[in-house]
Amino acid sequence: YLRFVKGVVDAHDLSLNISREILQQDRQIRAVRRRLVKKVLATLKELSAESYRTFWSEFGAVVKEGLLEDPDNTEALLDLVRAASTHDPAELTTLRDYVVRMKDGQTEIYYATGENRATIENSPHLESFRAKGFEVLILTDPVDEVWVERVGQYDGKTLRSVAKGQVDLETDEEKEKAEAERQEYADLLSWMSGALTDSVKEVRLSSRLTTSPACVVGDAHDMTPTLEKMYRAMGQEVPRVKRILELNPTHPLVTGLRKAHEQGGDQTALTETAELLYGMALLAEGGELADPARFTRILADRLARTL
């Protein structure tokens, strides 16, 4: 992963046998490698802010590969990482600075991965974090999908994806309200889980949405859709992972769907509305529809009825 470094090592006690197998197992070569890696990482840490900014823009993605290949230097590499975040629209941040800015009581480092910053910042997954003032790291390099899972934590703080698992940002009062809403929506959630069983593993209420009607999230240990695509692009077959559809119980579309379901509305129309909600949630995060033609047909039919 330090393949951007070129140089010559002058040593008097290396073996004259230069076969590949001998050199890879040579004790002196291993010692030289360890010292060179530590020297390179220390030198990078000592670069001026401007010089390091230029270096990171060119080789940052390569350095992050070290978090997968070089467990002995994980801490040093994490201190070298720079990432965009919701704290500043222009400047990158270190993980150390993120920890310093963490809110009282916050125990996790929140991050979001995606193809680009604009898509991530407009994702419904960030709504609650933005509303409550929690900073989120914005990671857009393909390698980010892997190293955050592999490393798992920094400075004792767990690295947590905003698009996976349950989100616990609520106050005690908000949790009581959410429990009452879950009971109120229980029938709708059960019905939607069955209606969308081919697409999702569960439908539940969300604590991460404030303005969007729905979003799609993964279980805490599920593979992300982007990582699935990466593996398939490399020719590796991976099982399709069903995700979870979360609904915003305060959105008019969701409350209207609940009332229509309670009143025994037309099942075909209700099922199509559920499909539209799921499709919109996929599109909002930059995902791909399994059947775009069906989605557009249902949407066109609904729009025609409003005219």
Side-chain angles (χ1 to χ4, degrees), residues 81-85 87 91-95 97-98 101 135 137:
V81 168
R82 299 294 185 271
S85 91
H87 174 72
E91 293 297 322
L92 303 181
T93 185
T94 66
L95 295 177
D97 288 341
Y98 179 102
R101 291 192 297 266
E135 181 178 354
L137 298 177

Side-chain angles (χ1 to χ4, degrees), residues 150-177:
R150 181 74 60 84
V151 173
Q153 65 174 11
Y154 173 77
D155 193 31
K157 309 292 191 301
T158 301
L159 292 164
R160 175 72 180 276
S161 170
V162 300
K164 295 174 67 174
Q166 294 276 15
V167 171
D168 185 14
L169 303 179
E170 299 171 312
T171 63
D172 291 340
E173 183 179 344
E174 289 172 331
K175 288 178 180 178
E176 291 180 6
K177 180 183 177 183

Side-chain angles (χ1 to χ4, degrees), residues 211-236:
T211 58
S212 297
C215 69
V216 184
V217 302
D219 263 342
H221 302 291
D222 279 352
M223 185 183 299
T224 65
T226 303
L227 196 54
E228 280 188 57
K229 291 180 185 177
M230 288 171 56
Y231 279 124
R232 292 195 177 99
M234 294 186 291
Q236 300 184 35

Side-chain angles (χ1 to χ4, degrees), residues 3 38 61-62 66 74 122 128 132 135 139 148 151-152 163 179 181-182 193 197 206-207 223 254 258-259 266 302:
R3 54 186 176 272
K38 290 185 181 298
V62 179
T74 296
N122 291 322
S128 183
K132 294 180 180 292
E135 181 178 354
L139 308 177
V148 287
V151 173
E179 181 58 36
E181 288 174 335
R182 274 191 288 272
S193 294
T197 187
S206 180
S207 60
M223 185 183 299
V254 177
R258 176 180 61 81
K259 292 175 182 176
D266 180 70
R302 292 302 179 88

Side-chain angles (χ1 to χ4, degrees), residues 125 162-165 204 206 208 215-219 222 242-246 285:
H125 298 131
V162 300
K164 295 174 67 174
R204 68 191 184 198
S206 180
R208 73 186 87 213
C215 69
V216 184
V217 302
D219 263 342
D222 279 352
K242 286 186 179 181
R243 300 172 73 202
I244 299 167
L245 178 64
E246 290 191 347
E285 69 168 13

